[in-house]
Amino acid sequence: MPRDTRPEVLVFDVNETLTDMGPLSARLEDIGLPGHLLPIWFAGVLRDGFAVTLAGGHATFAAVARDGLRSLLARERSGTPDPGAAVDHVLAALPGLPVHPDVPDGVRALHAAGHRLVTLTNGSADTTRSVLDQAGLGDCFEAHLDVEGAGRWKPAPEAYAYALRTVGVLAERATLVAVHPWDIDGAGRAGLSTAWLRRRPDAYPAALRPADREATGIADLARRLDTAPER
């Protein structure tokens, strides 16, 4: 099937694709860490999760995220009286994160247009459900999935295969939507079409498989898909 035709199922990444993680900066400041360390912490969580997967092991997002925060505290705020409570304070904010401003209208437009919508995260499906329910979007998604069901973090092919099996669709009828080029690359190699959300002016890495579509946000993606031919 042509890669520019209308997909049946849209598989959404969650962290940074749907959710705005910016408010976690304030939580870092609450425990004495500079807010600008947020992207460093999150990148470290992904790095370590990928590494464990590549080595044949497994760890949950929460466990890796907790270890990363403890390491930051040890380096930046040695002597924190109760590092466990400090870490809990940051991670407790995850289910209450807001979605990006373009997400509500975009998701509703995609749902109204007849697309099947699911999420697939390296984090927690329960956290995803909480975030989208509080945004009033819970009824737009037929499933919230996480990589615990696959035992492998994205971008391992098993993670995408697990999502496809769960929703009962072939790879060529599904599109992965993400802000992360590594996710786009992994899904493309697993046979899905891909849509990259370019929320920032960063250049797409030349070493990675390019996306089939590009949009500035979910609402923009909905407009673009509205003009795509049916399969």
Side-chain angles (χ1 to χ4, degrees), residues 104 107-108 130-140:
V107 164
R108 292 188 184 105
S130 174
V131 167
L132 293 175
D133 282 352
Q134 74 180 2
L137 301 173
D139 292 343
C140 294

Side-chain angles (χ1 to χ4, degrees), residues 10-21 42 46 61 94-95 97-100 103 118-133 141 143-147 154 176-180 182-183 197 199 218:
L10 295 172
V11 181
F12 286 88
D13 173 55
V14 178
N15 290 327
E16 296 189 309
T17 296
L18 297 176
T19 59
D20 178 4
M21 298 183 71
F42 186 59
L46 294 176
F61 181 91
L94 289 172
L97 288 175
V99 296
H100 289 288
V103 170
V118 301
T119 59
L120 177 64
T121 179
N122 283 333
S124 161
D126 288 340
T127 296
T128 299
R129 188 173 294 107
S130 174
V131 167
L132 293 175
D133 282 352
F141 291 85
H144 296 305
L145 308 175
D146 59 41
V147 296
K154 295 185 295 175
L176 186 282
V177 182
V179 297
H180 305 291
W182 56 261
D183 208 354
L197 300 187
R199 294 195 182 281
I218 306 296

Side-chain angles (χ1 to χ4, degrees), residues 161-218:
Y162 161 69
L164 296 172
R165 286 195 309 272
T166 302
V167 299
V169 70
L170 297 175
E172 58 264 27
R173 299 192 67 83
T175 293
L176 186 282
V177 182
V179 297
H180 305 291
W182 56 261
D183 208 354
I184 296 295
D185 180 86
R189 294 180 191 278
L192 289 76
S193 62
T194 54
W196 179 47
L197 300 187
R198 190 174 186 177
R199 294 195 182 281
R200 296 185 294 267
D202 306 10
Y204 193 92
L208 301 185
R209 182 173 294 219
D212 298 299
R213 292 183 175 90
E214 182 178 321
T216 58
I218 306 296

Side-chain angles (χ1 to χ4, degrees), residues 31-108:
I31 65 171
L33 293 173
H36 66 77
L37 290 180
L38 174 61
I40 294 173
W41 166 65
F42 186 59
V45 173
L46 294 176
R47 177 201 63 213
D48 291 348
F50 297 166
V52 171
T53 291
L54 284 170
H58 179 68
T60 66
F61 181 91
V64 179
R66 185 175 297 278
D67 287 343
L69 284 170
R70 282 183 172 273
S71 294
L72 282 178
L73 281 168
R75 184 167 68 243
E76 302 285 336
R77 295 282 296 179
S78 59
T80 299
D82 190 347
V87 168
D88 288 343
H89 177 70
V90 175
L91 296 183
L94 289 172
L97 288 175
V99 296
H100 289 288
D102 62 282
V103 170
D105 287 347
V107 164
R108 292 188 184 105

